[in-house]
Amino acid sequence: MPMPQEEDWQTIAQDFSVQWNFPNCLGAIDGKHVVIQAPPKSGSLFYNYKGTYSIVLLGVVDANYCFRVINVGAYGRGSDGGTLRDSAFGRALEAGTLKIPPDACLPGAEHLGPLPYAFVADEAFPLRRHLLRPYPGKNLQRCKRIFNYRLSRARLVVENAFGILASRFRMYHRVMGQHPHNVEACVKATCVLHNLLRRNKTTHPSAPVMDGPNCSMQGITRQGTNNSSREAVHVRETYTSFFSSVHGEVPWQHLVS
């Protein structure tokens, strides 16, 4: 699973624009808890908010449900935002060494100026220049509700990828009694095999797929940091304007907003 280069990121962004109507998107990020038996003398390191013991699979998924970057082995007690921050991928994202393509204008919206390519995530993650999260709260303006829907629609590919992974490899449906290092190896192996099966066009009858006007923001309850830069806030506001414009809207977004 080599780290994507600039050309790879551009291909991923093109796929997200065509398939999920979200331009300049480099991937969807989320974390999955892999349940394990509590290792001896580990205290609460692996104890998560769900009341189980786990290690975390942090995944960056492309528009075709393939894992492009993974980080496996973080303690279950940590937050998704903290796991991203402490991972090699998160440090590279913060340092600007991921070879992300230069800023580009959104299609048909050159008047808005160039915008950075960005990853999409839920409220457990911080808002950054290259990382978009939804607006918090319920009583939002209509344009913000539309943005949240559009971001959720693109972000659901990572949840779908986790669902497909778990439906194919039944180890995710039970408590794993191996040493955490062995569990890490198993998780990495299943992610690589998952990609091979996806790229060979292998389908699975129980694979969940969520798309279209029935997508919603259900399940987003975790809260991340609100310490966002002005530039990151401006990027999100520009996307908000774009998705409510003639050039950026999709016909069914008005049914769910």
Side-chain angles (χ1 to χ4, degrees):
M1 195 181 296
M3 180 67 71
Q5 302 302 304
E6 182 174 334
E7 297 79 8
D8 302 313
W9 290 127
Q10 289 177 334
T11 300
I12 293 171
Q14 178 64 22
D15 289 343
F16 265 100
S17 182
V18 172
Q19 297 173 217
W20 301 103
N21 309 106
F22 204 109
N24 286 21
C25 179
L26 299 176
I29 303 178
D30 203 2
K32 175 179 176 61
H33 287 272
V34 181
V35 182
I36 63 173
Q37 285 185 353
K41 301 179 181 179
S42 63
S44 61
L45 285 176
F46 296 91
Y47 191 76
N48 61 48
Y49 71 97
K50 297 180 179 181
T52 61
Y53 294 87
S54 64
I55 62 172
V56 178
L57 162 60
L58 184 73
V60 179
V61 174
D62 66 20
N64 300 303
Y65 307 113
C66 287
F67 293 98
R68 305 309 293 259
V69 182
I70 59 172
N71 181 83
V72 187
Y75 295 129
R77 75 172 183 179
S79 65
D80 285 348
T83 300
L84 174 65
R85 180 192 63 233
D86 298 334
S87 68
F89 172 80
R91 293 192 296 270
L93 179 63
E94 189 70 22
T97 59
L98 282 180
K99 299 185 178 179
I100 291 175
D103 297 1
C105 293
L106 302 179
E110 289 75 13
H111 62 284
L112 296 176
L115 282 183
Y117 286 82
F119 300 90
V120 293
D122 64 17
E123 289 185 346
F125 294 87
L127 179 65
R128 295 288 184 264
R129 186 177 192 272
H130 292 293
L131 184 61
L132 293 172
R133 59 171 258 173
Y135 290 99
K138 295 182 179 180
N139 298 320
L140 298 173
Q141 296 175 347
R142 182 171 175 272
C143 61
K144 293 183 177 181
R145 294 199 304 272
I146 289 175
F147 171 85
N148 281 3
Y149 163 71
R150 296 290 294 275
L151 183 140
S152 177
R153 183 171 184 267
R155 185 189 61 78
L156 281 174
V157 298
V158 65
E159 294 189 8
N160 289 344
F162 287 147
I164 296 169
L165 181 74
S167 69
R168 279 202 170 109
F169 301 101
R170 307 301 291 179
M171 72 178 201
Y172 290 102
H173 291 270
R174 65 175 186 268
V175 177
M176 300 188 67
Q178 295 86 356
H179 189 277
H181 292 306
N182 294 333
V183 177
E184 290 177 30
C186 292
V187 171
K188 291 176 182 178
T190 59
C191 289
V192 172
L193 291 172
H194 166 90
N195 285 357
L196 290 173
L197 293 171
R198 292 296 305 174
R199 288 165 182 164
N200 287 332
K201 306 298 183 182
T202 304
T203 59
H204 194 279
S206 61
V209 176
M210 292 175 282
D211 186 17
N214 291 326
C215 291
S216 68
M217 297 297 290
Q218 292 179 354
I220 297 182
T221 57
R222 293 168 289 172
Q223 297 293 323
T225 176
N226 244 348
N227 185 20
S228 307
S229 68
R230 290 184 178 180
E231 183 181 21
V233 172
H234 170 71
V235 170
R236 184 168 65 177
E237 289 176 347
T238 304
Y239 269 101
T240 302
S241 299
F242 173 73
F243 288 144
S244 294
S245 70
V246 174
H247 297 291
E249 68 178 5
V250 292
W252 62 84
Q253 70 184 29
H254 304 288
L255 302 176
V256 298
S257 61

